[in-house]
Amino acid sequence: MDHVVVVGAGLAGVRSIEALRFRGFTGRITLIGEENHRPYDRPPLSKAVLLGETDSTVVDSDLDALDVRLCLGTAAKGLREGVLETTEGELEYDGLVIATGAAPIRLRGEGRQHVLRTIEDALALRERLVPGARVAVVGAGWIGAEVATAAARAGCAVTVVEAGESPLAVALGPEVGSHTTGWYARAGVELRLGALVGSVDPDGLTLMSGARVPADVVVTGVGVRPAVDWLKGSAVRVDDGVVVDEHLRTSLPNVVAVGDCASWWSRRFRTRLRVEHWDTALQAPDVAAATLLGEEAVYDPVPYFWSEQFGHMVQFAGHREAGDRMVLRGDPRRDPKWAVCWLKADDRLAAVLTVDRPRDVVQGRKIIESGRRLDPLRVGDSARPLRDC
Ligand code: FAD
């Protein structure tokens, strides 16, 4: 293999290059990135950048030392075996890494709506978070909650409009999500649940009910879609992201996919997973690089992510499914620090969510990895370390 092309200059792209070199690949590497920036981290965009604590989140990686040909401001347009089509012409490859991430969903309407995916998005939004500004955030998911946190801290009058019956209902289920409702009120943020947005207008939102939410600034945080449109018509199978096996191989030879855009087969959870979180973009590339280089490697992580909202560190590890039994550790109505464990029918731990209880998530992740069974009664005792349950 002489030439590897990496498409997508985000975290998963740059980690793929590091992994290829670490594993001894000495051939040519070309990195194609649509944005005009060297790879940067996105989690701080909705945290430190919005809060005005930093302007740059460039990934600490020496691309010059890694001997990479960097093609920024260049987008991939199509793919056939051995040839990548880009906005700057065609490029032949022996191995290809697809790491094009995801793009935010926008709502209907003529009004200006901010989304939060790029550094430009974050800087443009930050400029508008001024004291007294009426900010409407659509979506009480991870991004919506973090934007609301930053906007409230900047002195804005914040309304969060959420279609579900609680914040984080899609990610965690309404029961667990409802335990975060009080955080909004305490931060002075108005939370409107069960409210569907019809359109974004120049002066705010119109809800499907006809009600209006006047706003100077509208931020849409209703999720992302994998950025894989450019693969239409290629032999790469796409179904809610690039379909890859447990080695992160796509349906086209010598092509692997990683990060937000990849939907991999999880041996551990016996299902397909597409995880839009930083840790996946960080870890999966090592397996993808090994696979490209003909080594035997399997990607089978316990997914992990974190969110910082309303002064709380929220962490999650594992994969929960309908039917898993929930066991609370601590009482969210009284204890500021609490956790939820999801147990399988045979009492194996499937997932753990923690609020300001970092030990639980570290121990929970190890327990999930080991497949050990827990005693549900002990799990419910929040004074007992999870590893002793
Ligand atoms: P990306 O970072 O999206 O990088 C993909 C790159 O590919 C982009 O630069 C894109 O422009 C480029 N690209 C797309 N299409 C093409 C094309 N056709 N040709 C060339 N280039 C292309 N995760 C957590 O775990 N915790 C958090 O607290 C957290 N906070 C976040 C906050 C924000 C605001 C955002 C946006 C994400 C957050 N995440 C968080 C998620 C995490 O940042 C992502 O999972 C991670 O960035 C995924 O990396 P990636 O390299 O797969 O994709």
Side-chain angles (χ1 to χ4, degrees):
M1 184 163 300
D2 289 331
H3 185 205
V4 173
V5 175
V6 177
V7 190
L11 180 65
V14 72
R15 285 283 299 131
S16 299
I17 293 165
E18 289 175 349
L20 282 163
R21 291 294 188 224
F22 181 77
R23 286 179 173 274
F25 178 66
T26 53
R28 286 182 298 136
I29 300 181
T30 304
L31 177 61
I32 306 287
E34 190 167 23
E35 292 184 72
N36 274 309
H37 302 285
R38 288 189 165 232
Y40 60 90
D41 265 329
R42 294 181 204 275
L45 299 183
S46 50
K47 305 172 185 70
V49 175
L50 270 198
L51 291 169
E53 293 163 4
T54 185
D55 288 348
S56 167
T57 69
V58 172
V59 174
D60 183 16
S61 182
D62 190 346
L63 289 174
D64 300 329
L66 290 166
D67 192 15
V68 178
R69 184 176 155 230
L70 203 52
C71 301
L72 298 177
T74 302
K77 291 194 311 185
L79 182 65
R80 35 184 221 276
E81 198 164 342
V83 181
L84 178 75
E85 296 158 27
T86 80
T87 47
E88 304 301 313
E90 296 195 341
L91 208 59
E92 290 186 3
Y93 68 82
D94 304 308
L96 187 85
V97 180
I98 299 175
T100 44
I105 297 169
R106 289 167 189 272
L107 298 172
R108 271 183 314 187
E110 301 295 307
R112 178 173 180 193
Q113 53 185 301
H114 289 262
V115 291
L116 195 45
R117 187 77 196 176
T118 66
I119 183 75
E120 284 88 358
D121 293 340
L123 295 176
L125 176 58
R126 185 174 81 186
E127 213 167 84
R128 302 197 68 203
L129 300 184
V130 293
R134 296 167 307 166
V135 177
V137 180
V138 186
W142 304 114
I143 297 286
E146 292 188 352
V147 169
T149 301
R153 269 202 218 159
C156 305
V158 188
T159 305
V160 175
V161 178
E162 164 59 45
E165 56 187 285
S166 83
L168 300 172
V170 176
L172 303 176
E175 192 180 334
V176 176
S178 67
H179 296 312
T180 71
T181 304
W183 301 351
Y184 289 74
R186 279 194 283 282
V189 172
E190 187 188 347
L191 178 62
R192 293 209 194 168
L193 297 170
L196 267 175
V197 172
S199 63
V200 179
D201 306 322
D203 55 354
L205 303 171
T206 302
L207 304 184
M208 291 297 241
S209 63
R212 303 260 312 125
V213 180
D216 308 307
V217 182
V218 171
V219 188
T220 303
V222 296
V224 294
R225 287 202 186 93
V228 292
D229 283 356
W230 65 277
L231 288 165
K232 262 184 204 145
S234 78
V236 170
R237 203 178 138 217
V238 168
D239 181 7
D240 181 34
V242 178
V243 175
V244 290
D245 64 10
E246 58 199 13
H247 310 285
L248 305 179
R249 267 187 308 234
T250 70
S251 53
L252 196 61
N254 298 320
V255 180
V256 292
V258 283
D260 280 13
C261 70
S263 162
W264 80 91
W265 175 256
S266 164
R267 267 191 196 177
R268 184 186 306 278
F269 297 106
R270 309 190 67 74
T271 186
R272 202 157 266 299
L273 295 179
R274 193 175 64 75
V275 175
E276 297 155 358
H277 294 300
W278 189 85
D279 192 61
T280 305
L282 186 76
Q283 310 287 355
D286 190 45
V287 171
T291 298
L292 261 193
L293 298 177
E295 297 163 27
E296 173 68 25
V298 169
Y299 187 57
D300 195 17
V302 172
Y304 163 80
F305 72 87
W306 82 98
S307 169
E308 294 159 41
Q309 44 182 284
F310 303 110
H312 298 283
M313 174 59 94
V314 182
Q315 291 166 291
F316 182 94
H319 171 67
R320 67 174 196 95
E321 287 179 325
D324 292 342
R325 186 164 32 132
M326 268 187 318
V327 181
L328 268 172
R329 284 170 62 73
D331 180 350
R333 286 165 304 184
R334 285 201 310 263
D335 306 329
K337 301 177 180 189
W338 50 276
V340 181
C341 289
W342 283 269
L343 298 177
K344 290 284 168 204
D346 61 2
D347 293 333
R348 273 178 307 114
L349 185 61
V352 55
L353 170 89
T354 65
V355 174
D356 299 319
R357 287 181 67 104
R359 280 206 184 106
D360 273 3
V361 83
V362 172
Q363 293 174 13
R365 199 175 186 190
K366 286 193 183 134
I367 294 168
I368 300 168
E369 263 160 11
S370 73
R372 185 157 69 78
R373 289 182 169 75
L374 296 180
D375 176 342
L377 280 179
R378 290 182 173 196
V379 172
D381 175 3
S382 60
R384 188 187 286 269
L386 197 52
R387 62 164 181 261
D388 297 338
C389 295

